[in-house]
Amino acid sequence: YPLGVSDEGQMEVIMVEKQYKVPEISCEHCVRAITNELTSVPGIEVINIDIPTKLVTLRHSDDVSDEQIVATIAEAGYEVAA
C-alpha cells in the first residue's frame, strides 16, 4: 500500500499532560502572552493557566519536547521554574 492511503496503518497520537511553574504569572496579560506563544506550537491541544498557583497546564502530543515548551514560554517573556 502507498503511504497515506489507509487510515488503518496510521500511528496513534499519544497525548501527554504536564504542568510548568511560571512564577512571574500575575495577571490576564501574562496569561494572554503565554497562551498566544503556546498556541503557535503544533501539537498543543489544551492550555490552562492558573494565576493563583502560577501553573501552566498543557496537554500535548508526545513529540513536543519540554525544551520546546520552556523555550516557547521564554519567547513570551516568562521563565519556567526549575
Side-chain angles (χ1 to χ4, degrees):
Y1 293 100
L3 290 177
V5 170
S6 172
D7 285 343
E8 295 172 13
Q10 284 188 334
M11 297 273 296
E12 185 177 326
V13 176
I14 298 170
M15 298 302 286
V16 178
E17 187 166 311
K18 292 190 179 170
Q19 288 188 324
Y20 299 86
K21 183 85 167 178
V22 183
E24 292 107 357
I25 293 174
S26 61
C27 64
E28 285 300 320
H29 169 77
C30 304
V31 171
R32 280 193 303 278
I34 294 169
T35 300
N36 288 341
E37 287 295 331
L38 288 171
T39 54
S40 71
V41 177
I44 293 181
E45 187 176 275
V46 175
I47 299 173
N48 181 42
I49 301 176
D50 187 60
I51 296 170
T53 62
K54 302 181 185 308
L55 287 176
V56 176
T57 305
L58 306 177
R59 185 164 37 168
H60 57 84
S61 58
D62 67 345
D63 61 347
V64 177
S65 70
D66 280 340
E67 292 80 14
Q68 186 178 8
I69 291 168
V70 169
T72 302
I73 293 171
E75 285 176 29
Y78 300 90
E79 190 175 329
V80 174

